[in-house]
Amino acid sequence: MEPKKNVKADVSRNSSIYFAVGLALMLLLTNLAINYKTYDKEDIDIGMINMDDELEEEIPITEQIKTPPPPPPPPPVAPEEIEIVEDEEEVVETVIESSETSQDEEIAEVEDVVVVEEPEEDLEVPFAVIENVPVFPGCENEAGNNAKKQCMSDKISQFVNRKFNVDLASELGLSGRQRINVIFKIDKSGNITNIQARAPHPGLEREAQRVIGLLPKMKPGKQRGKAVTVPYSLPILFQVQD
């Protein structure tokens, strides 16, 4: 009679499972063995602090600088000896009499006082800003200050054109365009004064002064109701015919 094998008693039935479990355990042990570290006890710092070393503070030794004492003051200057001189001359005292008068004293009559008028200052006001412009004869009926200025300018230009000798420039040997700058003043009486001229030739300057001196007397200009001197400038231009 042959013995029968029990299926449950077969050892090789689960051999693959056992092999896998054993392999996993071996890998785990190998990993632990590789990563295992050991340290020397002397290199371990337990983190204790020595407070005694921290409390000890080194204080630097400082040396106080001694400043030298100030120099002694100079000795006081000895006062000069004062020589006492005896008075030899007698001083005559001046007696000042009182200027007050008494009630019994007669008062002298005072003659009439003559008031001397101070000479008025000769003021000059520019032609462009004067309140009342000088009035040229024939411009009295013009309304407004600007209209009187324009009328005066036109009248003076017409007067100079009639009186000026334009042939004088060619006689002096001049040619081309000639310009003469003339400056004069209309004083507080309306007369023409202080005539000055500048031209390329002295002959033209004298002719310009002669013509301006022939201007008629004007009504003087006024500033704040008082007659004043008014300076006036006039350019004279003409072309010399060749």
Side-chain angles (χ1 to χ4, degrees), residues 86-98:
E86 295 181 359
D87 295 335
E88 295 180 357
E89 297 181 0
E90 294 182 358
V91 179
V92 179
E93 295 182 358
T94 304
V95 179
I96 301 175
E97 297 180 357
S98 175

Side-chain angles (χ1 to χ4, degrees), residues 27-39:
L27 291 175
L28 178 61
L29 292 175
T30 304
N31 186 27
L32 292 176
I34 292 172
N35 295 326
Y36 180 74
K37 295 181 180 180
T38 58
Y39 300 94

Side-chain angles (χ1 to χ4, degrees), residues 133-152:
V133 69
V135 180
F136 195 90
C139 299
E140 295 84 0
N141 297 328
E142 297 293 335
N145 206 38
N146 293 331
K148 286 184 172 63
K149 286 182 180 180
Q150 186 62 43
C151 179
M152 177 180 175

Side-chain angles (χ1 to χ4, degrees), residues 142-162:
E142 297 293 335
N145 206 38
N146 293 331
K148 286 184 172 63
K149 286 182 180 180
Q150 186 62 43
C151 179
M152 177 180 175
S153 177
D154 296 339
K155 293 284 187 182
I156 292 177
S157 298
Q158 294 172 5
F159 183 89
V160 172
N161 290 335
R162 291 197 308 268

Side-chain angles (χ1 to χ4, degrees), residues 182-231:
V182 184
I183 300 175
F184 60 92
K185 294 181 181 180
I186 307 168
D187 65 8
K188 56 185 179 181
S189 299
N191 298 318
I192 306 300
T193 61
N194 296 339
I195 304 172
Q196 298 178 7
R198 176 177 289 183
H201 194 278
L204 294 179
E205 294 178 355
R206 289 191 293 268
E207 177 65 12
Q209 292 174 350
R210 182 190 69 83
V211 173
I212 297 300
L214 298 176
L215 287 172
K217 186 176 180 179
M218 308 179 196
K219 183 179 179 180
K222 292 184 178 181
Q223 186 75 8
R224 297 182 181 179
K226 293 184 179 181
V228 294
T229 300
V230 180

Side-chain angles (χ1 to χ4, degrees), residues 9 35 46 49 60 73 82 87 117 130 152 179 181 203 219-220:
N35 295 326
I46 60 176
I49 301 174
I82 301 174
D87 295 335
E117 296 182 358
I130 191 169
M152 177 180 175
R179 179 184 178 92
N181 294 321
K219 183 179 179 180

